[in-house]
Amino acid sequence: MTAVPATATRKPVVKIVFAGHVDHGKSTLLGRLLTDLGALPEGKLESVAESCKRRGVVFEWAFLLDALRAERDQGITIDSTQVQAETETRRFVFIDAPGHHEFIKNMVTGAAQADAAVLLVDAKDGLQAETQRHAFLLGILGIRDVIVAVTKMDLVGYDQARFDDLAGQVTAHLASLGFDADHVKVIPVAARDGENILTRGTAMPWYSGPALIQRLDALTPGTAAADAAAAPLRFIVQGVYKFDERRILAGRILSGSLAVGDDIQFSPGNRRGRIKSIETWPTPADPADRPTRAGTGQSVGITLDQQAFIERGAVGAHPATPPHLINALRGRIVWFGAEPLTPGGRYKMKLNAAEHLCIAETIEHVLDTGDLSTSASAMVSRNQIADVVFRARGLMAADAHGEAPQTGRFVLVADHRIVGCGLIDLEGFAAEGHERSPKSENILRVEHRIDMPERWAANGHKSGILWFTGLSGSGKSTLAVRLEEALFRRGKQVFVLDGDNVRHGLCADLGFSPDDRQENIRRVGELAQILAHAGFIVVTAFISPYRADRDGVRARAGDLFHEIHVAANLDVCERRDPKGLYKKARTGEIPEFTGISAPYEAPHAPELVIDTANLEVDACVERLVEYALAAFEA
């Protein structure tokens, strides 16, 4: 909003968000602060006063912040406005977050950038639902220092009893949210009269604490940045460039530091290399001036000592402290979408610089930001906060927010609009990357000279995996071979991997215990991926009863994976019993038989469901062919 003197750049910078219920005086307080600090551009105060005179409205300090005309007309702040000011010891970035419940997204956007918060509570209106919601959001965004400004004390006659009562309510509520009492300060103010803004006023002689600006000056700048600098390295690859013989990985260091000579591992993919150089722009003319180390907050390029296929979105880390590799997570989300979130909904999850297609698998509960109670719900409506389990189509490199706030949060997008944001909770979700790391050392991947698009162009169609899952007797093998024939007759490169067939060779050493079933699916999944990368449409026919095993294949295969639920209930399958297996299972001759003595976990959100209980085989095949031709069209 205003130019900052050159000398201010040498002062520590503290970003402070002003939050609270609409009409509790955020913009007024900020307008007063900026005026008293002399941070307004020359003539700004006079021009706003003149504008008010022309419009026939009474001058308000809040108008100084109303950068948008719509805000003035509506009387509410619809954007998070950032303004700058300074004192003798600090340079401040004040973030005016909107208080209206319709603009929670803007409030979160503003608060996410802040080091500390000023939470406003109207002395007359008291603690409102939106105040509680903002306090809750400040907590989950990791803000530790909160100054509670009890505003409009003039409206209650500067009454100490009213202030003490409100101070007690707010501090108790913040304590219930986990805020440390030592980091919560409460101040009575009357911004319109300038009471307790820059200095202690005379209207409230019973208050002996510091004025607001003295509280702000006491905040420790860059606390979050210092924490990030001490955290493990997270180098987020934002682009890969090749101007000459060098392959430069350009990105931003969100935490930790890196140096020339460091071994670095990129996730997902677990590709490794040693940092050969750190590139900056412009490049120093003297090689001796080129950087050998870079730290948190810097955007740099790096080159490695060996070529490796690394894409935008990869997370670089030191091998000893990699991020988790997961395909499912619990997100504590704030939902902004006009349409409610429901289980089975598909969203684009933006996680650092990566994008993942995710399914909202389960709504664990919705949270009440007032009394912090939880309740079951079939949906998450706009502005609600909920714990939701998301499952991705591929592996994601992520950190729990409690471990690494910089990389432990995400944004949800639908129809090119941001519909939610969340913090990552990985409790109960196993990291998968270490389990699949090869035991052998000193092995390197050989990059093919023919990529999949070139193979697709030669075949005239794309490749992928149609993973049939369903109970024994549901019709998986029958449909798989019929689909294989139908696609082959249409000139497609297609091959069936059948459950019984692979147990005669590739998986002959495996039984039907849960561990053996898991290994069976892992092997078949790997083989299916190889064939898909070779350009084939792979059709698999496996009961694959455990959802986690199928999700594991999906996580590794990514967009190549298409889950097809061959659906028929147990009664139907048992009546069919083409191999007489159910009969044997009922007599105990076959132990651990899916559906009888072992569980079957149906897919949450398969790409296609084929109802073989109610459709004839030809109709099922027709539907499958239609899906496959559309999915693998070149």
Side-chain angles (χ1 to χ4, degrees), residues 294-316:
T296 300
Q298 285 188 269
S299 295
V300 298
I302 63 172
T303 62
L304 302 178
D305 64 343
Q306 58 181 292
Q307 297 291 330
F309 182 69
I310 296 166
E311 298 178 288
R312 171 183 166 80
V315 179

Side-chain angles (χ1 to χ4, degrees), residues 24-67:
H24 276 203
K26 290 190 296 300
S27 297
T28 298
L29 179 57
L30 270 169
R32 184 75 198 216
L33 257 179
L34 294 175
T35 303
D36 289 356
L37 288 172
L40 292 174
E42 185 177 354
K44 182 68 174 176
L45 178 65
E46 291 77 10
S47 69
V48 172
E50 179 60 27
S51 175
C52 291
K53 186 177 179 181
R54 286 199 307 272
R55 291 158 59 86
V57 297
V58 177
F59 171 80
E60 295 285 350
W61 295 100
F63 290 165
L64 293 167
L65 290 185
D66 289 341

Side-chain angles (χ1 to χ4, degrees), residues 13 114-115 144 220-231 253-256 295-297 406:
V13 177
D115 299 308
R144 292 179 293 186
T220 304
T223 303
D227 291 345
I253 302 172
L254 294 188
S255 65
T296 300
Q406 297 76 20

Side-chain angles (χ1 to χ4, degrees), residues 135-210:
F136 183 88
L137 293 172
L138 294 175
I140 67 174
L141 288 171
I143 291 178
R144 292 179 293 186
D145 291 296
V146 177
I147 298 172
V148 179
V150 179
T151 60
K152 305 183 184 181
M153 285 296 297
D154 50 317
L155 298 184
V156 295
Y158 304 106
D159 183 49
Q160 181 181 2
R162 177 59 175 164
F163 170 77
D164 290 342
D165 179 47
L166 278 178
Q169 291 182 39
V170 178
T171 51
H173 184 68
L174 291 174
S176 71
L177 295 174
F179 286 92
D180 186 336
D182 291 339
H183 291 268
V184 176
K185 309 298 179 186
V186 189
I187 304 175
V189 299
R192 187 168 296 174
D193 302 328
E195 290 285 332
N196 295 338
I197 304 300
L198 284 188
T199 58
R200 283 215 309 271
T202 58
M204 292 173 275
W206 43 265
Y207 176 69
S208 59

Side-chain angles (χ1 to χ4, degrees), residues 226-508:
D227 291 345
L233 171 67
R234 294 294 181 263
F235 174 66
I236 309 301
V237 177
Q238 297 171 323
V240 181
Y241 302 96
K242 196 172 189 308
F243 303 116
D244 43 41
E245 74 282 357
R246 298 171 303 165
R247 195 164 187 262
I248 300 175
L249 309 178
R252 184 174 175 81
I253 302 172
L254 294 188
S255 65
S257 62
L258 54 80
V260 173
D262 281 359
D263 289 329
I264 189 168
Q265 174 176 306
F266 290 89
S267 304
N270 293 338
R271 291 177 170 84
R272 292 191 183 191
R274 181 163 293 170
I275 297 175
K276 186 176 180 181
S277 67
I278 297 175
E279 307 290 334
T280 56
W281 294 270
T283 304
D286 186 347
D289 294 333
R290 294 179 182 176
T292 58
R293 176 174 290 277
T296 300
Q298 285 188 269
S299 295
V300 298
I302 63 172
T303 62
L304 302 178
D305 64 343
Q306 58 181 292
Q307 297 291 330
F309 182 69
I310 296 166
E311 298 178 288
R312 171 183 166 80
V315 179
H318 291 121
T321 53
H324 299 278
L325 288 177
I326 53 168
N327 73 331
L329 60 85
R330 178 185 300 102
R332 172 154 291 186
I333 68 163
V334 184
W335 186 249
F336 309 132
E339 298 297 325
L341 177 146
T342 54
R346 296 168 186 267
Y347 306 98
K348 181 188 294 182
M349 179 179 286
K350 291 193 173 184
L351 179 58
N352 300 315
E355 296 182 353
H356 304 276
L357 178 61
C358 285
I359 296 170
E361 186 174 281
T362 307
I363 300 173
E364 294 189 336
H365 48 244
V366 173
L367 287 87
D368 185 313
T369 55
D371 60 13
L372 305 181
S373 63
T374 60
S375 59
S377 177
M379 65 177 66
V380 183
S381 301
R382 188 176 186 185
N383 294 331
Q384 282 191 310
I385 297 169
D387 286 341
V388 179
V389 174
F390 293 92
R391 197 164 291 277
R393 299 196 61 170
L395 277 178
M396 302 183 289
D399 293 296
H401 184 264
E403 300 172 351
Q406 297 76 20
T407 50
R409 50 193 179 187
F410 60 85
V411 169
L412 297 169
V413 176
D415 296 329
H416 307 291
R417 292 178 180 273
I418 293 176
V419 292
C421 64
L423 307 181
I424 296 173
D425 175 6
L426 297 179
E427 184 176 354
F429 295 91
E432 302 178 4
H434 301 299
E435 296 175 4
R436 289 198 304 279
S437 297
K439 290 182 179 179
S440 304
E441 297 181 349
N442 302 315
I443 56 174
L444 299 174
R445 289 182 182 273
V446 174
E447 301 293 338
H448 290 269
R449 296 175 65 88
I450 305 169
D451 58 16
M452 277 201 295
E454 193 173 350
R455 295 179 193 275
W456 293 347
N459 290 339
H461 64 81
K462 295 179 180 177
S463 58
I465 303 168
L466 295 172
W467 189 279
F468 288 17
T469 176
L471 291 169
S472 177
S474 60
K476 297 181 300 301
S477 295
T478 300
L479 295 180
V481 295
R482 288 285 300 274
L483 176 62
E484 178 188 40
E485 181 183 13
L487 294 178
F488 184 80
R489 302 301 179 203
R490 286 170 170 78
K492 312 302 180 187
Q493 299 291 322
V494 57
F495 191 79
V496 168
L497 293 175
D498 182 79
D500 282 1
N501 289 356
V502 299
R503 284 185 179 273
H504 282 88
L506 176 66
C507 301

